[in-house]
């Protein structure tokens, strides 16, 4: 727990105090956010606000991960504390950094062209597929070699699983390694685009991501405290345990990312002094996808990230309706812009959507804990 708290604190402080520096640097570089002409007219006043702020909280998360591991060296049981960096960390941080890199290219092109059209949709899609495929393969083909004091291997789990999962793996739904990688690519695409579509109002995506990442920190730490690789816990045969890999690493990274987003939110809330841009949105989406895979809660992501799902579906519904009937269901999509045009203030929309995000997180955590209670001996 100490390492997770250290990581959260370091990430928060780095993000809080480095974001103003990023604001000055990006302002000097004239890296302002272009605003779509077809978007809500009230957004035109945001033109020129520095973008690519996601660089700050991605960097803060990586720094906090290192700080958290330094804290782990003081723990008495290095074997269970997972002092050494793991493949799990490589996958999770790699997804955040490289999905963020795809977004950075998009942001850079927007700033350079002084136009809201950056990387093409095909280019962005190919980038997401490539990142998802590479880290999906790493997650499925590199098992843990964790050993106990006698040298016996106690954990051979991979980061990902060949079966679909809801609150835990569903053995009957084995999709093979290739199928699991394909599904993970889809999850990466869905999560990155979901966060990106939600990032339309000041602080909306940042606050929602804090809740989702916080939920994954809780889930992963609970899995760590009830881990099948922990002999002190599994000594009692009636104890229900989780067959995951490196849960403390997952909790540490999720907590660090949540803390970094809180620090960034200080400057990103309305009126925003900096935007996360596609750099931050795609980076967060990639990390959230990795969290779902590594905690074996792929389908639970639909509830944990309920706000992202709702906003994404509003776009899908709008497109299908317009192409099939020529009529629009919403005044404008994504959904937050519909309410803007309906006369709601930006702050009201953000707070109410945060409440929706919180409800999704609360339901998901309730289901997760209920499953644990149901499986205890």
């Amino acid at each position: 727990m100490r390492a997770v708290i250290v990581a959260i604190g370091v990430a928060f402080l780095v993000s809080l105090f480095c974001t103003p520096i990023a604001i000055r640097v990006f302002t000097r570089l004239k890296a302002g956010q272009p605003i779509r002409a077809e978007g809500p007219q009230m957004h035109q006043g945001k033109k020129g606000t520095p973008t690519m702020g996601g660089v700050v909280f991605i960097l803060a998360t990586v720094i906090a991960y290192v700080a958290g591991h330094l804290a782990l060296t003081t723990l008495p049981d290095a074997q269970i504390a997972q002092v050494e960096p793991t493949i799990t960390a490589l996958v999770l941080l790699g997804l955040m950094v490289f999905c963020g890199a795809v977004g950075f290219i998009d942001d850079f092109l927007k700033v350079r062209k002084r136009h809201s059209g950056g990387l093409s949709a095909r280019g962005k899609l190919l980038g997401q597929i490539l990142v998802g495929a590479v880290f999906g393969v790493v997650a499925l083909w590199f098992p843990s070699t964790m050993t106990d004091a006698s040298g016996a291997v106690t954990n051979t789990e991979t980061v990902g699983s060949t079966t679909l999962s809801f609150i835990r793996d569903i053995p009957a739904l084995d999709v093979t390694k290739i199928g699991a990688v394909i599904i993970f690519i889809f999850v990466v695409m869905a999560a990155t685009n979901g966060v990106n579509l939600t990032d339309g109002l000041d602080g909306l995506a940042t606050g929602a991501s804090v809740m989702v990442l916080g939920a994954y920190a809780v889930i992963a730490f609970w899995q760590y405290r009830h881990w099948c690789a922990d002999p002190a816990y599994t000594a009692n045969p009636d104890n229900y345990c989780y067959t995951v890999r490196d849960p403390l690493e997952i909790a540490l990274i999720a907590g660090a990312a949540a803390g970094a987003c809180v620090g960034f939110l200080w400057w990103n809330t309305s009126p925003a002094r900096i935007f996360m841009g596609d750099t931050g949105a795609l980076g967060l989406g990639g990390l959230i996808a990795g969290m779902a895979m590594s905690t074996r809660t792929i389908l639970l992501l639909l509830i944990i990230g309920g706000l992202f799902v709702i906003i994404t579906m509003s776009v899908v519904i709008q497109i299908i309706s317009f192409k099939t009937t020529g009529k629009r269901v919403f005044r404008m999509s994504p959904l937050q812009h519909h309410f803007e045009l309906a006369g709601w203030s930006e702050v009201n929309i953000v707070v109410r959507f945060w409440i929706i995000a919180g409800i999704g997180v609360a339901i998901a955590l309730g289901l997760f804990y209920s499953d644990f209670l149901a499986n205890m001996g």
Side-chain angles (χ1 to χ4, degrees):
M1 188 65 175
R2 181 191 313 169
V4 177
I5 293 173
V6 167
I8 293 171
V10 169
F12 170 73
L13 292 174
V14 170
S15 188
L16 180 67
F17 291 110
C18 287
T19 300
I21 299 173
I23 292 172
R24 291 194 292 270
V25 171
F26 290 143
T27 300
R28 191 175 299 119
L29 295 175
K30 298 182 178 179
Q33 175 70 49
I35 304 297
R36 292 185 304 133
E38 62 273 19
Q41 288 305 304
M42 59 281 285
H43 286 201
Q44 295 304 316
K46 301 181 181 184
K47 186 175 182 180
T49 302
T51 187
M52 295 187 282
V55 170
V56 179
F57 59 71
I58 291 174
L59 180 61
T61 301
V62 175
I63 293 173
Y65 171 76
V66 175
H69 265 269
L70 291 176
L72 280 175
T73 60
T74 64
L75 294 178
D77 191 342
Q79 187 66 43
I80 298 302
Q82 305 171 277
V83 172
E84 298 298 324
T86 64
I87 291 292
T88 301
L90 172 66
V91 171
L92 295 178
L93 294 176
L95 284 165
M96 189 179 199
V97 170
F98 284 95
C99 284
V102 174
F104 182 85
I105 294 171
D106 186 43
D107 287 333
F108 177 78
L109 292 176
K110 289 177 183 177
V111 170
R112 185 177 181 182
K113 297 176 182 177
R114 306 295 179 192
H115 189 271
S116 59
L119 187 64
S120 68
R122 179 177 297 179
K124 194 181 297 185
L125 185 64
L126 288 174
Q128 293 166 348
I129 292 173
L130 179 61
V131 174
V134 169
F135 288 103
V137 169
V138 174
L140 268 297
W141 265 268
F142 292 86
S144 171
T145 55
M146 189 176 185
T147 58
D148 59 19
S150 67
V153 176
T154 59
N155 190 324
T156 58
E157 292 295 322
T158 52
V159 180
S161 172
T162 60
T163 64
L164 283 178
S165 57
F166 179 47
I167 296 173
R168 48 195 162 83
D169 281 335
I170 306 172
L173 299 179
D174 193 312
V175 294
T176 74
K177 287 185 177 181
I178 298 298
V181 171
I182 293 173
I183 290 173
F184 181 62
I185 291 171
F186 176 78
V187 174
V188 169
M189 291 166 56
T192 51
N193 286 301
V195 178
N196 199 21
L197 290 171
T198 304
D199 183 33
L201 301 180
D202 295 352
L204 177 56
T206 310
S209 295
V210 168
M211 297 182 208
V212 171
L213 290 167
Y216 276 118
V218 171
I219 287 172
F221 192 77
W222 187 264
Q223 291 176 333
Y224 171 65
R225 298 295 295 175
H226 305 85
W227 192 22
C228 293
D230 183 354
Y233 178 73
T234 53
N236 183 348
D238 290 331
N239 286 343
Y240 176 70
C241 65
Y242 294 93
T243 53
V244 296
R245 174 173 178 168
D246 310 320
L248 185 59
E249 287 278 79
I250 303 169
L252 193 153
I253 294 171
C261 285
V262 172
F264 181 75
L265 185 60
W266 183 274
W267 306 99
N268 180 237
T269 193
S270 183
R273 292 186 56 190
I274 188 170
F275 298 141
M276 69 167 66
D278 280 21
T279 305
L282 269 60
L284 288 174
L287 177 59
I288 289 170
M291 290 289 162
M293 172 180 64
S294 58
T295 57
R296 312 294 171 85
T297 55
I298 289 285
L299 296 178
L300 190 64
L301 177 58
L302 294 172
I303 302 174
I304 293 179
L307 178 65
F308 301 140
V309 174
I310 292 169
I311 289 178
T312 300
M313 289 307 300
S314 73
V315 176
V316 174
I317 291 170
Q318 186 85 322
I319 292 173
I320 292 175
S321 177
F322 187 75
K323 288 190 173 182
T324 56
T325 68
K327 297 180 180 179
R328 292 179 172 86
V329 176
F330 308 104
R331 290 181 172 92
M332 182 179 290
S333 64
L335 187 60
Q336 60 269 30
H337 299 321
H338 167 82
F339 290 105
E340 277 190 291
L341 297 182
W344 290 23
S345 71
E346 181 170 4
V347 172
N348 275 343
I349 297 169
V350 170
V351 172
R352 287 168 181 171
F353 276 37
W354 281 352
I355 292 172
I356 294 172
I359 291 171
V361 165
I363 292 173
L365 289 177
L367 290 171
F368 180 82
Y369 186 61
S370 296
D371 176 78
F372 175 79
L373 293 179
N375 283 280
M376 281 295 289

